[in-house]
Amino acid sequence: MRDDSSRRVVIIGGGVAGLTAAGCLRDAGIESVIVEGRSRLGGRIQTIDVDGSDTAWIDMGAAWIDDHKTNRVFHRLDAGGISVKPTWPGLTDVRTFDERTGNWLSRFRSIVAMLKFGWRMHGLRRRTTDFANLGDRIDAVLGKYPSRTDQFLFKTTAELLNGGCVDETHQNAFSKDQWEYHRYAEKTSVMIVGGYRHLIDLLAAPIDADDIFLEREVTTVRCTDSGVAVECSDGTRFAGTHVIVTVPIGVLKAEAITFEPPLPVEKQDVIDRMGVGHVEKVAMAFPSPFWRKKPGKALHFSSITDPITPQFVFIDVSDTAGATPDTPSSACLVAISAAASARATADDPPAAVKTSLTALQRMFPTTYEPPVATQVSEWSSSPFSRGVYSYPTPTTRAGDYATLGQPIHNGRVLFAGDSIVEDTYLSSVEGALVSGERAADAIINRHGH
């Protein structure tokens, strides 16, 4: 390790926020080092070639780009020559199976259910003070005798988007005017051909490999009037003028890093009030797309469990699983779960695979084929994430996300990540990218560049 720390910045975390900050500092002539606990870069972006064939690349973490025409992540990828494809389920390419009856909803009923769901979700953008939590609000919208389909679509989608149980989520979680962060209009949604790994490659390319330290678990951040010191569990120590902390909200909530001096009370209170979501995926590669009615057209579907739980939402990712648009692509599905179901998935991946495949066999008894390979995400059980992204709980207050992003200790300790999102998008890759730029800019301005 070099000793020239008088103008060096220590960045904790090698995800989008950390890589973006390092790139901005490099362009300004300020040295930085990235200290990452995992054995890889990317953070909660991880693209896996599920069957090792170079035809089954599936994103186990971040996967979509919303409102891509105005999304900075898309434009960064587009400038790098990376392709995307529309993938978000629409009215005509979604099917719903009811586990209780063992039947598929008719095409007409499916379209009506999706239209009702879209209208009800739009209604959640209005701010209200009438309910204790999002679950109570949804129950009021659904009425006294809601159908199983309506319950599943509304509650499960809300939990997949936030990662938390609706009963533990703020009633205005989807409001457009409650918070200091924005929500996407969701007019478009695309996936990256070959996965989000392409973004990590683009962001990491300009950074000197000697300035990246993997498998270094940070335990302590010490700050003095003259600088900062970052200490790791293996005894490694990094010194600099500033530190940018980009760890996920789950790590902050677990107090896995000790700050000396401690975090200000108001910042710790904000962290305590925020929720950490849990979303996991079972990725599967198959010999053929046995679930499709038309071999060349993607089909997304879900199985309404009995009782209803936020799982068994199946997304057809076959069209983006190839390494490039011009290379072969395997038949691939992702089964997504949220909240308590996601925690169970991370705690017992083999069981999650078994239940997902059993659900597929029930839905497609005559066409089902065993998978070639499977992989399961484990964000909830990883010490470097402890969940996925932040969401507002019933105790979260307007202004909390702005407070979370404020520098501390005379501006020497800065924060970035997908939860540091004032005037940008919560729990998004774009939000992480912008936060990394902001943290770097604050240091650059302080250095007088």
Side-chain angles (χ1 to χ4, degrees):
M1 188 181 79
R2 304 188 193 99
D3 293 327
D4 52 344
S5 61
S6 61
R7 285 173 56 83
R8 186 174 61 193
V9 177
V10 183
I11 300 171
I12 303 175
V16 167
L19 291 169
T20 300
C24 293
L25 292 169
R26 176 185 179 277
D27 292 344
I30 298 175
E31 289 192 11
S32 67
V33 293
I34 294 176
V35 184
E36 167 60 51
R38 294 182 173 91
S39 59
R40 60 172 180 81
L41 293 173
R44 282 159 293 154
I45 285 177
Q46 184 182 24
T47 313
I48 295 177
D49 184 12
V50 174
D51 63 5
S53 65
D54 203 33
T55 65
W57 290 101
I58 296 179
D59 281 315
M60 303 303 288
W64 282 278
I65 304 176
D66 291 318
D67 294 349
H68 74 286
K69 294 181 180 180
T70 57
N71 193 307
R72 294 180 58 184
V73 171
F74 166 74
H75 292 291
R76 180 72 68 95
L77 289 164
D78 190 50
I82 308 301
S83 300
V84 301
K85 286 188 177 181
T87 55
W88 193 248
L91 289 176
T92 61
D93 57 1
V94 176
R95 297 185 69 192
T96 303
F97 179 87
D98 192 330
E99 188 179 86
R100 177 179 290 179
T101 64
N103 296 319
W104 290 93
L105 266 66
S106 68
R107 181 183 178 86
F108 175 76
R109 286 185 61 196
S110 293
I111 291 175
V112 169
M114 289 296 291
L115 287 171
K116 287 165 63 179
F117 161 73
W119 176 253
R120 286 164 170 164
M121 285 297 293
H122 180 75
L124 293 184
R125 293 184 179 274
R126 179 181 59 83
R127 183 177 176 180
T128 182
T129 58
D130 294 340
F131 306 99
N133 54 58
L134 184 62
D136 287 349
R137 185 174 184 179
I138 290 175
D139 286 340
V141 172
L142 290 174
K144 192 173 183 179
Y145 301 107
S147 71
R148 283 171 47 77
T149 303
D150 289 347
Q151 288 184 71
F152 181 83
L153 282 176
F154 208 175
K155 289 192 174 183
T156 293
T157 301
E159 291 179 337
L160 285 170
L161 290 172
N162 280 337
C165 173
V166 290
D167 295 335
E168 299 170 0
T169 302
H170 196 285
Q171 60 179 326
N172 291 323
F174 293 97
S175 173
K176 65 179 181 180
D177 57 3
Q178 167 83 18
W179 312 102
E180 59 271 29
Y181 60 80
H182 302 320
R183 298 205 69 92
Y184 288 110
E186 297 178 355
K187 293 181 179 179
T188 62
S189 191
V190 300
M191 282 185 174
I192 306 163
V193 177
Y196 254 112
R197 64 193 173 101
H198 293 307
L199 177 65
I200 300 304
D201 290 344
L202 289 172
L203 294 176
I207 302 171
D208 192 328
D210 291 339
D211 293 327
I212 299 173
F213 295 84
L214 301 176
E215 298 183 298
R216 300 294 204 283
E217 183 177 6
V218 173
T219 57
T220 307
V221 174
R222 302 183 192 277
C223 184
T224 67
D225 291 339
S226 59
V228 298
V230 173
E231 300 173 4
C232 302
S233 59
D234 65 355
T236 309
R237 183 176 180 273
F238 300 88
T241 60
H242 300 77
V243 60
I244 302 176
V245 180
T246 74
V247 299
I249 186 67
V251 175
L252 292 175
K253 285 184 71 66
E255 300 184 32
I257 298 175
T258 299
F259 292 86
E260 297 183 2
L263 295 177
V265 172
E266 59 271 20
K267 187 180 287 287
Q268 186 61 58
D269 287 347
V270 164
I271 293 170
D272 293 342
R273 286 195 292 268
M274 288 181 182
V276 53
H278 298 273
V279 177
E280 303 291 352
K281 298 178 180 179
V282 177
M284 299 163 280
F286 294 92
S288 67
F290 62 82
W291 56 90
R292 290 186 174 185
K293 286 189 172 182
K294 298 180 180 179
K297 185 178 180 181
L299 182 67
H300 314 289
F301 52 94
S302 57
S303 177
I304 305 175
T305 56
D306 191 18
I308 292 173
T309 55
Q311 60 182 334
F312 296 155
V313 174
F314 293 87
I315 305 297
D316 185 343
V317 294
S318 308
D319 294 343
T320 56
T324 70
D326 301 321
T327 58
S329 178
S330 293
C332 296
L333 283 175
V334 170
I336 308 178
S337 59
S341 298
R343 292 194 184 200
T345 294
D347 289 341
D348 192 349
V353 171
K354 183 178 180 179
T355 56
S356 296
L357 296 180
T358 299
L360 288 173
Q361 288 176 291
R362 285 197 300 267
M363 288 184 277
F364 304 97
T366 60
T367 59
Y368 172 81
E369 296 176 305
V372 175
T374 62
Q375 295 277 358
V376 182
S377 66
E378 299 178 37
W379 305 113
S380 299
S381 58
S382 168
F384 305 115
S385 54
R386 301 172 186 261
V388 282
Y389 34 68
S390 175
Y391 68 90
T393 70
T395 60
T396 302
R397 306 170 187 170
D400 277 356
Y401 286 92
T403 300
L404 182 63
Q406 291 174 359
I408 61 174
H409 303 334
N410 197 30
R412 291 195 181 276
V413 181
L414 301 97
F415 295 83
D418 61 295
S419 297
I420 314 298
V421 290
E422 185 177 7
D423 294 326
T424 183
Y425 299 93
L426 178 66
S427 304
S428 73
V429 178
E430 184 179 26
L433 187 149
V434 172
S435 74
E437 291 178 340
R438 287 180 177 175
D441 286 345
I443 295 172
I444 291 167
N445 293 334
R446 185 164 180 168
H447 275 282
H449 287 258

